[in-house]
């Protein structure tokens, strides 16, 4: 038997990833200068690309009991999507636009405005009862928005998932392979998709999207 | 290419989203300090290589990242069934093969036999 005693922490240490306004956050595609491409590049094309910079991303893991589900709903303003491959998005909660993506049977990705992530994380640890894990992954991922008439053709080159609207309706979310990387792909509209990608793969995927969109024409937009 | 049904995502996905994690239903000796080197070595290193029905552990590594079991025919590559961890396979090797494997496994220790009956599945 070991002599080590483990002290149970009553409060979890939550760190604000953006402690002051003096620290300027840079998105993983900062170097690509998307704003210049948006103003000087092509204005018409089959695929539209936009990076939603510096959003708040939280990974929630738990097997929620009914009481926890209620508590989570009151924290987020939306209920957890419990059915596999489903998602919810609500524009007008008390903390602004909130999206929740099903990732696994005990895992969800929560997307909130960047300046709300720390407060929401703090409130989760104050309010939510029972066994759960919440990790702020805002610094590790970024969000792309791809849309346009030819966006499905572009994605067909990139992911091994059936994108027909019957198989992949609006609101469906999948974690899958994207080129040689991975992405969480959510359909926001018939011709609009959200990609949550790793920070370290953002540049690679941006280059991939440019190449895959070449034959349709790529329009860069600012969010 | 396999087209694999993930029992957690509840739909078929391409094989490249998955990783095979070897033979399924390998119980760890309950008390590693109390088992012999032979028992531990068999648990660590020795795996079946059957011709026919095989139970395998797979993980949906690019998707929901959950492990699950697949019963597959190693001759035809046909996936017979997919079932979650903790569940028992309904498709098992036929009686003759089971008998053969019993004769082959006659060198099993009492611990292995106990573990086998506890896990409720063929090793
Ligand atoms: Zn899955």
């Amino acid at each position: 038997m070991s002599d080590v005693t483990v002290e149970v922490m009553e409060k979890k240490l939550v760190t604000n990833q953006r402690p002051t306004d003096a620290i300027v956050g840079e998105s993983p595609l900062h170097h690509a200068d998307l704003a210049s491409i948006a103003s000087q590049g092509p204005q018409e094309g089959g695929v539209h690309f936009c990076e939603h910079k510096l959003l708040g991303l939280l990974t929630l893991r738990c097997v929620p009991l009914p009481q926890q589900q209620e508590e989570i709903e009151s924290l987020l303003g939306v209920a957890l999507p419990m059915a596999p491959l489903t998602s919810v998005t609500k524009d007008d909660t008390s903390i602004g636009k909130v999206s929740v993506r099903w990732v696994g049977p005990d895992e969800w990705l929560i997307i909130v405005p960047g300046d709300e992530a720390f407060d929401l994380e703090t409130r989760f640890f104050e309010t939510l009862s029972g066994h759960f894990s919440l990790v702020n992954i805002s610094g590790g991922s970024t969000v792309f928005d791809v849309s346009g008439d030819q966006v499905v053709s572009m994605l067909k080159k990139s992911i091994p998932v059936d994108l027909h609207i019957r198989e992949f309706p609006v609101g469906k979310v999948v974690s899958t392979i994207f080129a040689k990387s991975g992405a969480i792909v959510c359909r926001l509209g018939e011709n609009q998709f959200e990609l949550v990608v790793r920070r370290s793969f953002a540049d690679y995927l941006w280059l991939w999207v440019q190449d895959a969109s070449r034959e349709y024409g790529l329009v860069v937009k600012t969010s | 290419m396999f087209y694999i049904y993930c029992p957690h995502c509840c739909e078929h996905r391409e094989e490249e989203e998955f990783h095979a994690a070897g033979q399924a239903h390998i119980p760890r000796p309950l008390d590693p300090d109390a088992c012999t080197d032979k028992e531990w070595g068999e648990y660590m290193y020795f795996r079946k290589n059957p011709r026919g029905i095989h139970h395998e552990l797979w993980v949906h590594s690019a998707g929901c990242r959950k492990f699950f079991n697949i019963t597959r025919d190693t001759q035809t590559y046909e996936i017979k069934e997919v079932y979650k961890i903790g569940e028992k396979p309904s498709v098992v090797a036929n009686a003759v093969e089971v008998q053969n494997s019993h004769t082959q496994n006659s060198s099993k220790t009492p611990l292995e036999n106990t573990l086998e009956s506890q896990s409720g599945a063929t090793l």
Side-chain angles (χ1 to χ4, degrees):
Chain A
M1 288 298 286
S2 119
D3 294 329
V4 179
T5 42
V6 179
E7 205 174 302
V8 178
M9 300 267 289
E10 293 210 338
K11 276 198 170 172
K12 187 178 183 297
L13 181 68
V14 179
T15 314
N16 192 348
Q17 296 189 2
R18 308 167 110 197
T20 69
D21 291 336
I23 299 171
V24 182
E26 287 184 354
S27 91
L29 291 188
H30 180 79
H31 63 285
D33 193 11
L34 296 177
S36 297
I37 304 173
S39 61
Q40 292 157 25
Q43 303 298 313
E44 272 177 43
V47 180
H48 295 196
F49 178 91
C50 150
E51 185 196 14
H52 291 307
K53 293 178 191 172
L54 308 173
L55 290 175
L57 299 149
L58 302 165
T59 290
L60 172 69
R61 300 209 58 180
C62 66
V63 183
L65 304 165
Q67 192 198 338
Q68 280 179 312
Q69 282 189 48
E70 282 171 29
E71 289 167 356
I72 292 165
E73 185 170 353
S74 64
L75 278 161
L76 295 176
V78 291
L80 276 188
M82 297 302 290
L85 312 179
T86 58
S87 70
V88 290
T89 303
K90 199 175 177 199
D91 289 322
D92 53 347
T93 73
S94 57
I95 56 170
K97 185 177 177 181
V98 174
S99 316
V100 187
R101 313 284 181 235
W102 186 97
V103 177
D106 55 6
E107 182 174 345
W108 289 266
L109 177 70
I110 300 165
I111 307 175
V112 295
D115 49 6
E116 295 289 344
F118 175 62
D119 288 342
L120 180 64
E121 205 184 347
T122 310
R123 274 186 283 122
F124 254 88
F125 288 109
E126 285 167 359
T127 316
L128 187 55
S129 61
H131 186 59
F132 73 97
S133 146
L134 186 77
V135 179
N136 189 333
I137 57 155
S138 309
S141 300
T142 191
V143 180
F144 295 166
D145 186 295
V146 287
S147 56
D149 296 344
Q150 297 296 326
V151 68
V152 172
S153 306
M154 187 276 283
L155 287 174
K156 278 180 185 170
K157 300 184 196 176
S158 314
I159 62 174
V161 171
D162 189 348
L163 290 163
H164 193 282
I165 192 79
R166 266 201 318 265
E167 282 299 311
F168 204 121
V170 174
K172 181 170 172 175
V173 59
V174 299
S175 306
T176 185
I177 310 260
F178 195 107
K180 298 284 180 189
S181 178
I184 300 173
V185 182
C186 184
R187 192 172 210 147
L188 304 178
E190 187 163 355
N191 285 319
Q192 189 186 10
F193 294 82
E194 171 198 84
L195 314 175
V196 180
V197 304
R198 294 273 181 181
R199 181 186 185 94
S200 52
F201 280 100
D203 182 58
Y204 162 72
L205 291 169
W206 155 240
L207 294 172
W208 177 281
V209 169
Q210 288 177 74
D211 188 47
S213 305
R214 189 159 298 174
E215 62 182 297
Y216 314 116
L218 180 66
V219 183
V220 175
K221 304 214 161 185
T222 46
S223 54
Chain B
M1 260 320 247
F2 285 126
Y3 196 43
I4 299 170
Y5 183 84
C6 171
H8 299 285
C9 293
C10 305
E11 69 172 19
H12 285 83
R13 295 286 186 86
E14 293 289 337
E15 184 185 346
E16 63 177 311
E17 290 190 9
F18 299 85
H19 274 300
Q23 187 185 326
H25 308 299
I26 301 170
R28 190 175 192 270
L30 290 175
D31 187 356
D33 291 332
C35 73
T36 64
D37 285 355
K38 185 168 183 284
E39 284 163 357
W40 188 252
E42 270 169 14
Y43 158 69
M44 286 290 285
Y45 302 114
F46 289 87
R47 299 292 180 261
K48 287 175 109 178
N49 184 21
R51 183 166 182 259
I53 298 294
H54 190 34
H55 305 290
E56 297 170 332
L57 192 61
W58 284 71
V59 56
H60 194 184
S61 45
C64 62
R65 300 201 296 274
K66 290 286 170 199
F67 284 83
F68 58 94
N69 298 314
I70 287 180
T71 303
R72 190 170 66 86
D73 189 323
T74 59
Q75 288 181 91
T76 62
Y77 278 60
E78 186 191 351
I79 293 173
K80 298 285 189 185
E81 67 174 330
V82 168
Y83 55 104
K84 290 181 184 173
I85 300 288
E87 292 176 358
K88 289 176 192 173
S90 63
V91 180
V92 290
N94 65 46
V96 179
E97 285 175 66
V98 169
Q99 208 166 7
N100 284 343
S101 73
H102 270 289
T103 17
Q104 279 160 13
N105 293 342
S106 57
S107 61
K108 278 199 170 156
T109 61
L111 176 65
E112 280 173 321
N113 288 329
T114 320
L115 290 172
E116 207 170 293
S117 60
Q118 275 170 358
S119 74
T122 35
L123 276 169

